[in-house]
Amino acid sequence: MSYGVDILKGKTLYAGKCMLELFDNNLISYQYKQNEAQLNLSLQEQGWSQIHLLHSNCCPCQNKDLKPLDQNYTKIKLATVAMLCDKDYNFLLTRRHYQMKTFPKSWVFPGGMVEGHQNLENECLREVLEETGLDVLPILDKMELKVMYESIYPTKLEENEYPIKQTLCMFYEVKINQSYQNVTIKMGEKEVDDFKWFSKNQMLQIMNGQIKDYQFLEIAGIYPNSYGSGIGEGHVKAFLHCYA
């Protein structure tokens, strides 16, 4: 696999600087060129689609322009995320395997990195299939890009530390035309070790840390919570932005 998709703002963007600061605005324009494996971003471009860009409350690259000591720069990567829901807006969350190198035991929507020259919606559905065993296409009701989120790892950087990974995550609503009770989930066990379906109201309570049901306390709040689990911050922000 090649690097993936180049993310450009006039020129290719590299990790180490907060994207939201580059635009100084959370409403941006975007254009995806599949044949060139490029996602072009601009503050305001006629004829391009517009979308909100979110990031962490404590972005580790905010007010910084970080550079690697070895001068080996890392490109900002592109990922797709599926906020998968059934016909009644029950949503699927999966738990990242405890042996994953990044964000182990965090509860997230299915998703992953975009490979070069691929259709973004197809990539999103491919990730759902890989992680859940669910072939969405035959039962797809609608699919819509809702919001973008800038993710940086580690979430806290020491002085002169350079990000290991900086990713622009594209969150899609992926709605199927039947009840979750009629679909079968088969976890991709290398990446996922648990899953649960939640109603929209349950999701809002869990993400706001307001759930009272004991069985869901491990999931509630932003990762990492006191249980070493919780929901990834980008997934909380994206969901609340779209459905709160």
Side-chain angles (χ1 to χ4, degrees):
M1 186 184 83
S2 61
Y3 156 72
V5 176
D6 267 328
I7 301 176
L8 299 97
K9 182 181 181 289
K11 59 182 180 180
T12 299
L13 295 178
Y14 289 86
K17 190 169 180 62
C18 172
M19 291 179 63
L20 202 57
E21 283 188 336
L22 286 175
F23 292 101
D24 194 29
N25 196 313
N26 69 350
L27 183 63
I28 62 172
S29 301
Y30 72 95
Q31 178 192 58
Y32 178 57
K33 294 184 176 180
Q34 179 180 332
N35 293 338
E36 299 176 35
Q38 291 182 354
L39 179 71
N40 294 295
L41 304 175
S42 179
L43 183 58
Q44 190 172 9
E45 200 74 33
Q46 188 173 1
W48 291 15
S49 300
Q50 286 195 308
I51 197 164
H52 282 97
L53 172 64
L54 311 176
H55 76 164
S56 169
N57 290 338
C58 301
C59 175
C61 291
Q62 197 166 14
N63 301 318
K64 298 177 182 177
D65 188 4
L66 303 175
K67 295 178 174 61
L69 295 178
D70 60 4
Q71 298 300 301
N72 184 19
Y73 290 88
T74 300
K75 293 180 180 180
I76 295 177
K77 295 176 171 60
L78 184 68
T80 58
V81 182
M83 295 186 290
L84 180 65
C85 61
D86 74 354
K87 66 183 184 65
D88 299 312
Y89 283 94
N90 295 295
F91 288 85
L92 178 70
L93 282 179
T94 62
R95 187 173 65 188
R96 288 172 62 83
H97 198 281
Y98 72 94
Q99 292 183 328
M100 294 290 282
K101 292 182 179 180
T102 58
F103 307 114
K105 295 177 65 178
S106 64
W107 287 85
V108 295
F109 297 109
M113 308 308 298
V114 176
E115 300 178 8
H117 303 280
Q118 298 298 318
N119 176 277
L120 296 182
E121 293 185 355
N122 289 345
E123 283 288 271
C124 187
L125 298 183
R126 177 184 62 81
E127 289 290 343
V128 173
L129 180 61
E130 286 184 4
E131 295 181 13
T132 72
L134 182 61
D135 184 3
V136 171
L137 201 55
I139 56 173
L140 182 63
D141 180 32
K142 73 171 184 175
M143 184 172 185
E144 179 184 359
L145 180 60
K146 303 291 282 188
V147 70
M148 293 183 182
Y149 180 85
E150 177 187 22
S151 173
I152 299 172
Y153 184 84
T155 55
K156 294 182 180 179
L157 297 173
E158 302 297 330
E159 187 175 356
N160 296 323
E161 186 179 7
Y162 187 70
I164 295 174
K165 183 187 291 186
Q166 190 165 343
T167 308
L168 181 62
C169 303
M170 307 183 74
F171 281 80
Y172 287 87
E173 179 185 300
V174 180
K175 185 182 180 186
I176 60 176
N177 60 16
Q178 53 189 271
S179 169
Y180 75 92
Q181 295 173 324
N182 297 329
V183 300
T184 301
I185 301 298
K186 296 180 180 179
M187 296 180 294
E189 295 180 356
K190 290 184 178 180
E191 298 183 47
V192 177
D193 61 14
D194 200 0
F195 73 91
K196 284 181 170 58
W197 290 91
F198 297 98
S199 70
K200 178 181 172 182
N201 286 338
Q202 284 178 318
M203 289 284 288
L204 292 172
Q205 291 176 348
I206 289 170
M207 291 188 169
N208 285 314
Q210 297 173 342
I211 196 75
K212 296 181 181 179
D213 192 327
Y214 180 79
Q215 64 177 320
F216 299 142
L217 291 180
E218 177 231 339
I219 304 173
I222 291 176
Y223 176 88
N225 60 19
S226 58
Y227 295 87
S229 188
I231 304 176
E233 183 180 10
H235 298 250
V236 172
K237 283 183 167 289
F239 187 86
L240 294 178
H241 175 85
C242 298
Y243 301 106

